[in-house]
Amino acid sequence: MSMFLGQINRVGDPIPFEADPNLPVIPAIARGRTNCGDIDMRIAMDGTWFHEGTPIGRRELVKLFAKVLTRDRAGRYWLVTPAEMARIQVE
């Protein structure tokens, strides 16, 4: 069973942002972490999470990723852990 973005929003509040080009692009919470760059993970328009083109079916894993999902001021999405950060695609 795939986890959907609407279900994830119940886990935590969405992170608000303002598209202000004068503000830093990387969220302040990400500073000091290793930037792993882009990874092959995306959230489809229907909220299904994919890794390397395959839907992530483990609800607990999707909930874990959702807890570390953030959006920078440029509107890009990142998974930010205590040690690393990686950019993902969101449709």
Side-chain angles (χ1 to χ4, degrees), residues 1-5 7-8 44 46-50 54-60 62:
M1 167 194 267
S2 296
M3 186 73 178
F4 296 99
L5 193 55
Q7 294 168 316
I8 292 167
D46 68 359
T48 304
W49 288 63
F50 291 85
T54 304
I56 301 173
R58 291 182 52 204
R59 179 182 176 104
E60 297 80 13
V62 172

Side-chain angles (χ1 to χ4, degrees), residues 42-73:
R42 72 179 174 89
I43 305 172
M45 290 180 74
D46 68 359
T48 304
W49 288 63
F50 291 85
H51 180 257
E52 296 181 349
T54 304
I56 301 173
R58 291 182 52 204
R59 179 182 176 104
E60 297 80 13
L61 187 57
V62 172
K63 289 170 83 172
L64 177 65
F65 287 136
K67 287 181 181 179
V68 298
L69 179 65
T70 191
R71 182 167 53 177
D72 67 20
R73 297 194 185 277

Side-chain angles (χ1 to χ4, degrees), residues 11-89:
V11 174
D13 295 330
I15 298 171
F17 80 103
E18 295 176 19
D20 182 346
N22 299 319
L23 296 173
V25 176
I26 305 287
I29 193 171
R31 290 197 181 100
R33 289 160 172 84
T34 301
N35 185 341
C36 298
D38 294 341
I39 59 172
D40 190 4
M41 184 176 285
R42 72 179 174 89
I43 305 172
M45 290 180 74
D46 68 359
T48 304
W49 288 63
F50 291 85
H51 180 257
E52 296 181 349
T54 304
I56 301 173
R58 291 182 52 204
R59 179 182 176 104
E60 297 80 13
L61 187 57
V62 172
K63 289 170 83 172
L64 177 65
F65 287 136
K67 287 181 181 179
V68 298
L69 179 65
T70 191
R71 182 167 53 177
D72 67 20
R73 297 194 185 277
R76 297 177 297 192
Y77 290 87
W78 298 83
L79 297 178
V80 180
T81 69
E84 300 173 328
M85 56 187 274
R87 192 165 56 180
I88 67 168
Q89 296 299 313

